[in-house]
């Protein structure tokens, strides 16, 4: 059986209705204009060995077409795909390629062509169109291709043909679409969340003094892949003891300290969608009194932040709520002295909590979408997905009580804004009691 005859049986165009619906929405938005959306190019890791391929998120959102060397063009109410041709020889080495015909049929494009035809077709597609929609600066190869096409249209000016007079930033339109997730996206994000939570549970169960951070990373990777995720949605953080106070710690190569905490920030990727979960737990399975005090403060900050999420609330509301609880906690722990209002106002709390409480989540772990309109934070709306991730990071210092040294805690969950409020959809052990119960039950 050859690869081509297999293609239509792998998937049916019915599965790609959401992508078609998104293309139609975008087509309606661009009117008489033309949109050009390339996927990501393959990148070499070293010499002739590529990095694992990851498609461009915008292209994926509109197509679900997984191959590199592909460009989507939306024009005249139609979706055109330009992609690699079938190539029996290359397919022996690199695997199956759809080729234009199967790609059109399976993914529901109006027409599909070899990528090699794009250079010649693009000037004709742009000619006499009022506007071009393009993410300028995202992909230099595509920028150059578009510049060549515009120049080719300009060269036809004596024949009475004009290039588009307007250039729109396609990202602004697509970012706004991607900010509100549809039901297909929410289902995939929940799958990613389930798998990520299972990975965290596995890592908790595998943790004991003497093990190395990378051993827990391996448990996460194993569980993610075993359950069919593409892998990690971002480089995982497995940070024992004071390493947790380095916010982007990714070495994951130290021994886990007995009596210390370990912070894991890891999420799986499913069909392009990210989960983003952080959990912090005691390496030996039991929180010390000081660790527990700190942990309860972060947990309370998270609960306050979640309680602030509802349609119409500002994106900043969960952060404001978390900061107040954390700052009160810093006073209670004798890390800071003063009034909560004063410490929030002066920003003194930033010494121990220096990041924001969340971000949009979706195809990108730090997903697209505006956070502010001018000075005003944008209001939350149903279908938005965001993280809630308060933390406390206490580096050793003479003015810091000794039992608090090297405590770094983040508790991060993923949340959907619903019609009436919100839903936390990541379910890994979160409370002190839940974590200690899991860790006591280790083999
Ligand atoms: N894992 C990245 C973040 O929490 O923002
Ligand atoms: Mn996050
Ligand atoms: Mn995270």
């Amino acid at each position: 059986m050859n690869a081509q005859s297999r293609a239509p049986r792998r998937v049916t165009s019915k599965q790609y209705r959401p992508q078609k619906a998104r293309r139609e929405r975008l087509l309606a938005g661009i009117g008489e204009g033309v949109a050009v959306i390339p996927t990501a190019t393959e990148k070499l890791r070293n010499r002739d060995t590529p990095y694992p391929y990851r498609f461009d998120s915008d292209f994926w959102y509109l197509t679900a077409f997984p191959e590199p060397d592909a460009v989507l063009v939306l024009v005249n109410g139609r979706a055109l795909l330009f992609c690699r041709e079938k190539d029996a020889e290359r397919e022996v080495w690199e695997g199956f390629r759809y080729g234009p015909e199967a790609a059109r049929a399976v993914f529901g494009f109006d027409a599909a062509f070899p990528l090699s035809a794009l250079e010649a077709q693009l000037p004709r597609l742009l000619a006499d169109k009022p506007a071009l929609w393009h993410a300028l600066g995202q992909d230099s190869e595509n920028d150059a291709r578009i510049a060549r096409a515009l120049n080719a249209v300009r060269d036809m000016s004596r024949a009475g043909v004009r290039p588009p007079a307007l250039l729109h930033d396609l990202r602004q339109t697509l970012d706004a679409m991607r900010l509100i997730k549809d039901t297909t996206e929410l289902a995939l994000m929940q799958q990613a969340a389930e798998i990520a939570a299972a990975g965290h549970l596995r890592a908790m169960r595998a943790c004991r003094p003497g093990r190395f951070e990378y051993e827990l990373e391996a448990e996460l990777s194993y569980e993610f892949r075993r359950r069919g995720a593409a892998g990690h949605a971002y480089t995982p953080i497995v940070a024992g003891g004071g390493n947790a106070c380095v916010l982007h710690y990714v070495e994951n190569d130290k021994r886990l300290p007995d009596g210390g905490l370990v912070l894991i920030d890891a999420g799986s990727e499913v069909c392009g969608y990210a989960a983003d979960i952080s959990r912090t737990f005691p390496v030996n399975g039991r929180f010390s009194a000081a660790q527990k005090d700190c942990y309860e403060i972060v947990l309370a900050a998270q609960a306050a932040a979640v309680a602030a999420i509802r349609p119409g609330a500002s994106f900043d509301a969960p952060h404001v709520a978390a900061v107040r609880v954390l700052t009160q906690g810093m006073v209670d722990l004798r890390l800071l002295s003063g009034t909560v209002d004063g410490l929030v106002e002066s920003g003194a709390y930033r010494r121990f909590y220096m990041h924001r409480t969340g971000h949009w989540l979706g195809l990108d772990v730090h997903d697209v979408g505006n956070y502010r309109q001018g000075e005003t934070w944008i209001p939350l709306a149903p279908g938005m997905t965001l993280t809630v991730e308060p933390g406390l990071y206490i580096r050793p210092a003479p003015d810091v009580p000794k039992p608090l040294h090297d405590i770094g805690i983040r508790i991060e969950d993923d949340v959907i804004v619903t019609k009436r409020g919100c839903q936390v959809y990541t379910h890994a052990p979160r409370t002190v009691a839940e974590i200690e119960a899991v860790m006591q039950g280790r083999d």
Side-chain angles (χ1 to χ4, degrees):
M1 194 204 300
N2 69 31
Q4 188 156 24
S5 67
R6 260 199 338 257
R9 279 209 294 278
R10 290 177 145 196
V11 279
T12 70
S13 58
K14 287 201 186 94
Q15 287 173 264
Y16 297 113
R17 276 195 189 137
Q19 286 76 13
K20 194 158 194 274
R22 293 171 201 155
R23 293 196 293 269
E24 281 161 7
R25 258 185 81 196
L26 185 55
L27 272 164
I30 67 174
E32 299 295 307
V34 184
V36 182
I37 305 125
T39 194
T41 44
E42 285 179 293
K43 306 262 186 317
L44 285 183
R45 183 174 184 276
N46 57 316
R47 217 172 144 81
D48 57 355
T49 305
Y51 281 105
Y53 181 68
R54 169 58 158 69
F55 39 74
D56 173 77
S57 295
D58 284 339
F59 178 87
W60 179 255
Y61 177 74
L62 294 168
T63 66
F65 188 68
E67 297 180 16
D69 299 325
V71 179
L72 173 69
V73 179
L74 301 179
V75 61
N76 299 330
R78 282 157 48 92
L80 316 179
L81 181 77
F82 293 81
C83 67
R84 301 186 301 194
E85 291 181 83
K86 297 290 298 171
D87 182 331
E89 161 98 26
R90 292 315 318 158
E91 290 184 46
V92 167
W93 289 87
E94 291 157 11
F96 174 77
R97 300 176 172 195
Y98 282 94
E101 187 42 41
R104 187 196 58 73
V106 171
F107 295 86
F109 298 106
D110 296 297
F113 309 93
L115 183 62
S116 55
L118 180 60
E119 197 84 13
Q121 282 203 32
L122 202 49
R124 261 180 281 145
L125 294 171
L126 291 173
D128 284 334
K129 291 290 184 294
L132 167 64
W133 301 69
H134 158 56
L136 183 69
Q138 191 158 306
D139 175 325
S140 55
E141 217 171 279
N142 194 50
D143 289 351
R145 180 194 283 134
I146 286 186
R148 285 194 300 276
L150 289 172
N151 282 334
V153 186
R154 290 177 189 125
D155 287 347
M156 296 188 278
S157 64
R158 286 193 204 163
V161 181
R162 289 190 191 183
L166 289 173
L167 176 60
H168 290 285
D169 185 359
L170 181 64
R171 273 174 299 203
Q172 295 204 8
T173 308
L174 272 176
D175 288 3
M177 285 174 67
R178 282 176 52 188
L179 181 54
I180 308 286
K181 273 63 182 179
D182 60 35
T183 51
T184 308
E185 295 183 285
L186 293 177
L188 292 170
M189 292 180 74
Q190 289 183 354
Q191 265 182 47
E194 226 171 85
I195 294 174
H200 278 267
L201 182 61
R202 185 181 185 92
M204 261 178 216
R205 289 198 169 124
C207 184
R208 24 188 91 36
R211 295 232 160 129
F212 282 82
E213 293 164 344
Y214 52 74
E215 293 182 74
L216 301 193
E217 179 182 335
E219 300 290 342
L220 292 158
S221 305
Y222 175 78
E223 196 65 23
F224 291 0
R225 287 297 284 150
R226 190 174 84 83
R227 289 172 177 259
H232 291 269
Y234 53 90
T235 308
I237 295 169
V238 182
N243 298 337
C245 297
V246 178
L247 297 179
H248 291 165
Y249 176 83
V250 288
E251 288 83 357
N252 302 352
D253 59 357
K254 310 293 184 308
R255 201 182 282 279
L256 294 164
D258 193 0
L261 294 171
V262 54
L263 185 159
I264 298 184
D265 183 342
S268 53
E269 183 174 295
V270 170
C271 288
Y273 286 86
D276 185 4
I277 300 180
S278 300
R279 286 292 182 266
T280 310
F281 49 93
V283 170
N284 64 18
R286 281 243 181 251
F287 285 89
S288 71
Q291 289 165 352
K292 187 163 178 265
D293 289 346
C294 295
Y295 193 88
E296 295 290 7
I297 289 164
V298 180
L299 196 61
Q302 197 199 37
V306 169
I309 299 177
R310 71 185 78 92
S314 123
F315 174 81
D316 199 35
H319 181 63
V320 169
V323 163
R324 288 200 73 79
V325 175
L326 290 168
T327 305
Q328 178 65 59
M330 292 170 204
V331 174
D332 296 345
L333 292 169
R334 300 184 190 286
L335 289 168
L336 296 178
S337 57
T339 64
V340 170
D341 283 342
L343 296 166
V344 170
E345 177 73 26
S346 69
Y349 69 87
R350 290 204 187 98
R351 179 173 169 201
F352 305 105
Y353 181 50
M354 56 299 279
H355 60 75
R356 292 198 51 87
T357 302
H359 50 81
W360 304 130
L361 181 68
L363 284 168
D364 301 320
V365 64
H366 295 165
D367 207 29
V368 297
N370 285 339
Y371 289 95
R372 293 179 197 238
Q373 200 81 49
E375 287 299 293
T376 312
W377 293 98
I378 75 157
L380 298 172
M384 292 177 172
T385 43
L386 64 156
T387 64
V388 181
E389 48 179 304
L392 199 52
Y393 310 94
I394 310 173
R395 290 165 177 270
D399 60 338
V400 167
K402 195 103 202 263
L404 303 181
H405 286 194
D406 285 329
I407 289 183
I409 296 170
R410 182 162 59 257
I411 307 172
E412 177 173 28
D413 285 281
D414 303 344
V415 176
I416 302 171
V417 183
T418 58
K419 281 203 183 110
R420 282 159 198 253
C422 72
Q423 183 200 342
V424 177
Y425 66 96
T426 36
H427 304 292
R430 187 185 295 117
T431 64
V432 165
E434 285 166 353
I435 290 171
E436 289 192 339
V438 162
M439 298 194 72
Q440 248 81 103
R442 293 169 298 182
D443 325 312

